[in-house]
Amino acid sequence: MHTALAATLFVTLLAFTGIWLIHVRFRDAGYVDYYWGPGFAVIALISGWMNGYTIASAVLTGTVIIWALRLSAYLIARHRKSTLEDARYAAMRATGGREFWWKSLFSIFLLQGFLQWVIAAPLHMVSTSSHVGDWSSPLFIGGLLVIAFGLSVEWIADLQLSRHRESSSAPGRLMTSGLWSISRHPNYLGEIILWSGMGLAAFSVTHSLIAFAGPVVLAIAMIGVSIPLTETHLRKSRPQYEAYAARTPKLVPRLAALHRSGK
């Protein structure tokens, strides 16, 4: 394994193990979200430091830092305002029983750490590739535009949801306006788009298909795990969720819905 890859894997797993210890002390697995964004920035910075920066790797490192700062600020603020453990982790704790405290090290923390390292494939490739092409190519610029679009979608979706939670006077009231009227999970959609742009930009300068492994794994994890866990909780806690789900796509908006929202 390339030295930088081994180093970033070690640091990532060590960081998530440390967060697991905090979780054991406070019985709140939600602390793992604090490191989701910053962990990618750490990987990019370590890779750049060990291999030297090219213009392409510096640009992608800068973009992932901007994304990480925005996301971590949102997730930390959301967690600090909550009085209960995230419903996804609370459900896992309930089914895990007394052994959950140590099983969670593998089922939540180290698993997320390994996934983070794999999803960071575009950052790995652009830093460790022996040949990095022209960063000013149309494909690289196109990747940056996709990143910007994904960041905007995720940012707006989180902002709309945050304002809804602060202004809503009725407990259990669903967020069904704005981006949430055309997609049930626009925040996840934005993140998938952003990392697809990362993959495209990295591929444009390395010509390695491995750069797309990150966004593919992210999409699989969100569609196959994160969204089902979230929706299971919402269906149990929000009686109106079934009607909302019946009229609103899970992830990708329908063309007709986009047309109506643009009017």
Side-chain angles (χ1 to χ4, degrees):
M1 182 183 290
H2 193 284
T3 304
L5 295 178
T8 53
L9 178 60
F10 174 77
V11 170
T12 299
L13 296 182
L14 183 64
F16 276 90
T17 301
I19 300 169
W20 169 74
L21 291 173
I22 296 173
H23 143 263
V24 171
R25 168 66 176 83
F26 293 100
R27 290 179 57 84
D28 187 348
Y31 284 106
V32 73
D33 293 339
Y34 283 33
Y35 194 69
W36 182 249
F40 289 101
V42 170
I43 288 173
L45 289 169
I46 291 175
S47 294
W49 173 66
M50 294 186 69
N51 297 289
Y53 287 103
T54 62
I55 294 179
S57 64
V59 169
L60 290 189
T61 297
T63 58
V64 83
I65 289 174
I66 292 171
W67 167 76
L69 289 174
R70 201 289 310 174
L71 182 62
S72 61
Y74 170 75
L75 292 177
I76 291 172
R78 185 185 70 178
H79 182 259
R80 290 177 65 86
K81 290 177 183 178
S82 65
T83 56
L84 300 173
E85 186 176 37
D86 186 290
R88 298 167 298 170
Y89 303 130
M92 296 175 70
R93 185 182 299 278
T95 57
R98 294 182 178 180
E99 298 179 336
F100 176 79
W101 73 272
W102 67 264
K103 288 183 177 180
S104 63
L105 172 63
F106 305 96
S107 63
I108 295 178
F109 293 87
L110 292 183
L111 176 59
Q112 285 201 32
F114 182 71
L115 284 174
Q116 182 179 83
W117 183 77
V118 173
I119 292 167
L123 304 174
H124 295 311
M125 295 310 301
V126 80
S127 293
T128 62
S129 178
S130 58
H131 173 72
V132 177
D134 184 10
W135 66 272
S136 63
S137 69
L139 200 58
F140 186 83
I141 302 301
L144 295 183
L145 292 176
V146 173
I147 291 171
F149 178 66
L151 176 62
S152 299
V153 170
E154 186 178 24
W155 196 332
I156 293 170
D158 285 342
L159 181 61
Q160 289 176 341
L161 183 59
S162 179
R163 288 179 174 175
H164 167 77
R165 286 171 171 166
E166 292 175 357
S167 65
S168 178
S169 58
R173 180 183 168 195
L174 278 174
M175 173 62 178
T176 59
S177 59
L179 293 180
W180 300 84
S181 68
I182 57 176
S183 171
R184 303 203 301 272
H185 304 280
N187 50 346
Y188 289 150
L189 176 62
E191 190 158 333
I192 291 172
I193 293 172
L194 182 146
W195 279 97
S196 297
M198 289 280 188
L200 181 61
F203 172 76
S204 73
V205 294
T206 64
H207 306 295
S208 174
L209 291 174
I210 297 176
F212 292 113
V216 169
V217 170
L218 175 69
I220 292 173
M222 286 190 163
I223 296 171
V225 180
S226 298
I227 289 177
L229 285 174
T230 300
E231 296 212 322
T232 296
H233 167 67
L234 290 172
R235 283 187 164 89
K236 290 179 179 179
S237 60
R238 306 289 194 274
Q240 66 273 45
Y241 192 79
E242 288 294 347
Y244 170 63
R247 68 176 184 269
T248 310
K250 179 183 295 186
L251 202 63
V252 181
R254 301 186 186 99
L255 292 177
L258 289 173
H259 177 69
R260 289 196 300 270
S261 66
K263 289 184 177 180

